């Protein structure tokens, strides 16, 4: 039996698998949970990350403004489904408290380590790279130095140190809509100095859904079977990219080592809100939250670069599925 090593969350957003479904991951019937024009200055909120906090939920939201530029807003929710999102961007400061705004920011991940909330996003460092910052009180938001040089995207921090080091997944890329990409892991003693970069896994495999590029998704979940990492895989079609959700198990002590990798996607764009929108055919996971006791996992994903949606899975079932469809490449 596979078990999540982590905390319990009895108020996790959840819906049982629809009767008759054979899929290892299923969608919330009330999707999308965030639609067009969610605040006066924002057109679309998607590719966002939610965390439980003091019996309710908080989140960092990718908000594409009505001038088309992306930034990150903070928001709150009582139930993890209905959100109250700030109409202003997160007011980042530097370590001295002086304002340090971002030029653009997108695809945030959100993780709590000890008493600190960390945000990792795609930042502008003379080109797309990884940005990182933290808050302890949800009021003062402090930027850290960029961990990696451009061009890079999909930075994901592990939820605890591994062998005394912070670990960061990333996906080296290029200046625009990168047509390639593999996942790497870097480590740091202090979240400032990063090195010992290692390849985790490449795009490809027998299935074409992850044949063009891949990128880490939500914060990895610690389980008795390894780190459960959901990620996005991209296929290049004559009608453009298609983004699907896949999963892999990484070694607990050496996360550059892949234990099992699912050859099938777990979720691919099918619903209207996934196949139709600002960018059609995108399911882009940025966060998962879970209840360790029941093994339930809720995944927040961006749909069609327009909506925020939720999908669900059960840790035992999804790990069995990954192992059953394991593909070594
Ligand atoms: C990627 C990122 C994501 C986006 C996806 C599909 O390169 O920019 O934010 O969801 O493309 O457009």
């Amino acid at each position: 039996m596979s078990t999540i090593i982590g905390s319990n969350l009895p108020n996790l957003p959840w819906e049982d698998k629809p009767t008759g479904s054979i899929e290892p991951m299923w969608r919330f019937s009330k999707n999308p949970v965030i639609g067009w024009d969610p605040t006066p200055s924002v057109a679309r909120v998607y590719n966002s990350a939610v965390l439980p906090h003091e019996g309710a939920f908080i989140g960092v939201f990718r908000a594409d403004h009505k001038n088309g530029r992306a930034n990150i807003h903070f928001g709150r929710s009582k139930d993890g489904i209905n959100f109250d999102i700030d109409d202003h961007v997160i007011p980042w400061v530097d370590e001295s408290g002086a304002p340090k705004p971002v030029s653009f920011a997108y695809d945030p991940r959100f993780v709590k380590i000890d008493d600190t909330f960390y945000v990792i996003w795609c930042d502008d460092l003379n080109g797309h790279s990884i940005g990182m910052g933290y808050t302890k009180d949800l009021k003062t938001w402090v930027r850290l130095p960029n961990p990696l040089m451009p061009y890079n995207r999909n930075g994901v921090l592990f939820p605890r140190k591994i062998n005394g080091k912070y670990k960061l997944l990333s996906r080296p890329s290029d200046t625009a809509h990168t047509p390639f990409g593999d996942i790497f892991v870097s480590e740091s003693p202090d979240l400032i100095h990063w090195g010992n970069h290692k390849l985790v896994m490449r795009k490809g495999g027998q299935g074409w859904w992850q044949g063009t590029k891949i990128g880490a998704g939500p914060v990895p979940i610690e389980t008795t079977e390894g780190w459960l990492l959901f990620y996005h895989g991209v296929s290049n079609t004559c009608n453009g990219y298609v983004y699907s959700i896949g999963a892999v198990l990484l070694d607990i002590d050496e996360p550059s080592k892949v234990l099992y990798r699912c050859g099938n996607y777990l979720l691919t764009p099918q619903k209207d809100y996934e196949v139709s929108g600002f960018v059609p055919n995108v399911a882009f996971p940025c966060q998962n939250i879970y209840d360790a006791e029941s093994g339930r996992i809720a995944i927040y994903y961006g749909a069609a670069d327009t909506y925020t949606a939720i999908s669900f899975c059960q840790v035992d079932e999804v790990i069995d599925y990954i192992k059953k469809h394991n593909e070594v490449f």
Side-chain angles (χ1 to χ4, degrees), residues 75-95:
R76 293 179 183 272
S77 171
K78 287 197 173 80
D79 55 9
I81 295 168
N82 299 287
F83 294 96
D84 185 9
I85 299 171
D86 290 347
D87 193 43
H88 58 83
V89 303
I90 290 180
W92 292 105
V93 297
D94 66 16
E95 298 273 4

Side-chain angles (χ1 to χ4, degrees), residues 55 97 160 182 227 247:
R160 66 165 173 85
D182 304 321
W227 292 104

Side-chain angles (χ1 to χ4, degrees), residues 46-47 62 106-107 153 177 213 243 279 282 284 305:
Y46 56 104
N47 300 5
R62 173 181 174 150
Y106 60 85
D107 300 353
R153 288 179 173 84
H177 303 296
K213 55 179 171 174
Y243 285 69
V279 180
V282 181
F284 195 98
D305 285 11

Side-chain angles (χ1 to χ4, degrees), residues 3-9 159 221-224 290-294:
T3 309
I4 294 173
I5 302 169
S7 20
N8 297 334
L9 187 63
I221 299 175
E222 188 167 5
T223 79
T224 47
Y290 57 77
D291 174 44
E293 189 171 17
S294 61

Side-chain angles (χ1 to χ4, degrees), residues 48-52 57-61 77 80 83 110 287-289 300:
S48 298
V50 171
L51 277 178
F57 298 86
I58 54 175
V60 287
F61 297 87
S77 171
F83 294 96
F110 204 21
Q287 183 67 313
N288 38 220
I289 54 178
Y300 290 83

